[in-house]
Amino acid sequence: MGSVWGNAIKISVFGESHGAGIGIVIDGFPPGVTYDEAFVLREMERRAPGRNKQSTARKEADLPLLQSGMLHGRTTGAPICAVIQNTNQRSGDYAALAAQPRPGHADYTGSVRYKGCNDPRGGGHFSGRLTAPLVFAGALCKLWLRKMGVAVGSHIQSIAQIQDMPFDDVEVSPAQLDALRMADYPVNNPKALEAMLAAIEEARLQQDSVGGVIEAAAVGLPAGIGSPMMDSVESRLSSLLFAVPAVKGVEFGAGFAFAALRGSHANDALYLDGQMVKTETNNNGGVLGGITNGMPLLVRVCIKPTPSISTAQHTLNIQTGQVEPLSIHGRHDPCIVTRAAPVIEAACAIALADLLREAKGYA
């Protein structure tokens, strides 16, 4: 299982959606970081299910139980292990899926890869439930990044076809990111939120689902972090962002919009602001040649519509060899984008902490 990631800071995620619990081991985390429990629990709450009708009715406390790596409220430098208990499973909802893999899910591919031994209940190890340990690790990394002068945050860029106001890619601030973190729905334009929630409700009533985009930013990163070619900032972040279930696209800066630009408009002109080198625009999203340039790092992540929908579908019955109707039961989000922001932030924070620790040590 490819559940281990990282160089200087290495994480290992374990557990299944309907097992006894899920969790994470974090190795290489800097010592002496104060454990801000209120901050960590707020991050966990942002991702947790069952908070509103835009999310699944499955309710879990998502309380991380620390097993190691902490003493007197600070990290020790030893591996940190946290376990999150599963307390609200309904495994019977998944009894029929052994014969009929769900469209858009890893039921079929997981069964082939692990010779039918994988746990299919709730998606098993492929479930979005496994993002809870990522959010815990991301919260810890945010605490260390804060000490290093780096802030990470995000907003819902779009849901369905409805667009929020994008970040100002040269002026996004830590205060703006912190305000978004405290919002129930992190958006820059409240009117866009109203339309987004209406689109989600329409999909829910039609027993369907919608997707969207999360735009994340990191500010305060020093220039010179990362490496060219095979070990770029973009490749390191992307490798962890694509570990998040339902992520199907990642772009940095202007991303695919570069294809429609001329070089004269795409290039970011450099200038001196006091003793700091900055760029007038930030089309490259704070990264050039795989290395940070000191400008805000901007990344957008596409989240596909929730594949578990109540609308009747057709799929292969692998026991009969026939395509047959499938009705999916259980508790599922009509839109997972509203819970995805802290997960995307966590992936970015973990990757940036790994890169920064690699470059600066424990600082």
Side-chain angles (χ1 to χ4, degrees):
M1 265 270 175
S3 305
V4 178
W5 183 95
N7 292 341
I9 296 177
K10 195 178 292 291
I11 62 172
S12 177
V13 178
F14 61 87
E16 294 87 25
S17 177
H18 286 208
I22 54 179
I24 194 164
V25 177
I26 310 166
D27 198 4
F29 192 83
V33 177
T34 300
Y35 183 64
D36 185 340
E37 184 178 40
F39 176 85
V40 172
L41 293 182
R42 168 61 182 164
E43 293 295 279
M44 301 301 293
E45 181 186 23
R46 293 173 65 203
R47 190 221 71 93
R51 296 175 59 210
N52 51 55
K53 64 182 180 181
Q54 287 80 44
S55 70
T56 170
R58 177 177 177 175
K59 294 185 179 181
E60 300 276 6
D62 281 0
L63 181 66
L65 304 174
L66 291 166
Q67 310 295 306
S68 63
M70 297 280 182
L71 183 66
H72 305 315
R74 297 195 306 171
T75 58
T76 65
I80 300 167
C81 178
V83 175
I84 301 167
Q85 295 177 337
N86 289 330
T87 60
N88 192 5
Q89 309 99 310
R90 284 195 344 204
S91 299
D93 291 336
Y94 299 87
L97 300 181
Q100 285 187 285
R102 294 168 295 174
H105 277 276
D107 297 339
Y108 170 69
T109 54
S111 178
V112 173
R113 176 67 175 83
Y114 296 106
K115 305 185 186 301
C117 296
N118 60 300
D119 183 349
R121 301 170 303 166
H125 193 68
F126 298 92
S127 170
R129 177 107 184 100
L130 274 295
T131 60
L134 277 181
V135 171
F136 170 77
L140 288 184
C141 288
K142 284 182 180 180
L143 291 174
W144 182 63
L145 288 171
R146 182 191 294 170
K147 289 182 61 176
M148 302 291 286
V150 178
V152 177
S154 71
H155 74 114
I156 300 170
Q157 174 68 58
S158 69
I159 287 177
Q161 299 296 316
I162 300 141
Q163 299 286 328
D164 187 28
M165 185 186 306
F167 283 137
D168 182 327
D169 57 9
V170 297
E171 295 292 344
V172 59
S173 69
Q176 181 183 5
L177 299 180
D178 198 49
L180 287 165
R181 186 182 70 83
M182 298 304 295
D184 289 337
Y185 299 97
V187 294
N188 294 316
N189 181 358
K191 290 186 177 179
L193 175 60
E194 292 178 15
M196 289 175 181
L197 295 180
I200 297 171
E201 180 64 6
E202 181 182 9
R204 187 184 72 85
L205 292 174
Q206 294 175 357
Q207 298 183 319
D208 215 330
S209 62
V210 290
V213 174
I214 299 294
E215 183 180 43
V219 295
L221 281 168
I225 302 299
S227 300
M229 295 188 70
M230 312 304 182
D231 210 19
S232 69
V233 169
E234 295 104 324
S235 62
R236 293 278 282 275
L237 264 71
S238 296
S239 69
L240 196 51
L241 287 165
F242 277 116
V244 177
V247 168
K248 300 302 288 185
V250 174
E251 66 175 7
F252 291 83
F256 281 91
F258 272 122
L261 298 178
R262 290 191 175 190
S264 56
H265 292 154
N267 293 340
D268 300 314
L270 284 78
Y271 72 99
L272 201 59
D273 182 9
Q275 296 187 359
M276 287 190 63
V277 175
K278 292 186 177 181
T279 58
E280 293 179 0
T281 55
N282 192 18
N283 291 320
N284 288 279
V287 184
L288 288 165
I291 301 168
T292 57
N293 65 2
M295 295 297 289
L297 186 148
L298 271 296
V299 56
R300 281 174 295 278
V301 181
C302 172
I303 310 290
K304 73 178 184 179
T306 316
S308 285
I309 55 176
S310 299
T311 297
Q313 303 176 81
H314 287 81
T315 189
L316 178 69
N317 186 316
I318 58 177
Q319 293 179 354
T320 67
Q322 302 297 314
V323 173
E324 299 175 359
L326 173 68
S327 294
I328 297 177
H329 304 289
R331 300 162 293 179
H332 306 285
D333 302 69
C335 179
I336 54 178
V337 182
T338 57
R339 295 169 54 208
V343 182
I344 299 308
E345 291 172 27
C348 291
I350 295 166
L352 292 173
D354 185 40
L355 284 159
L356 204 56
R357 230 228 72 190
E358 200 172 49
K360 303 289 187 179
Y362 289 134

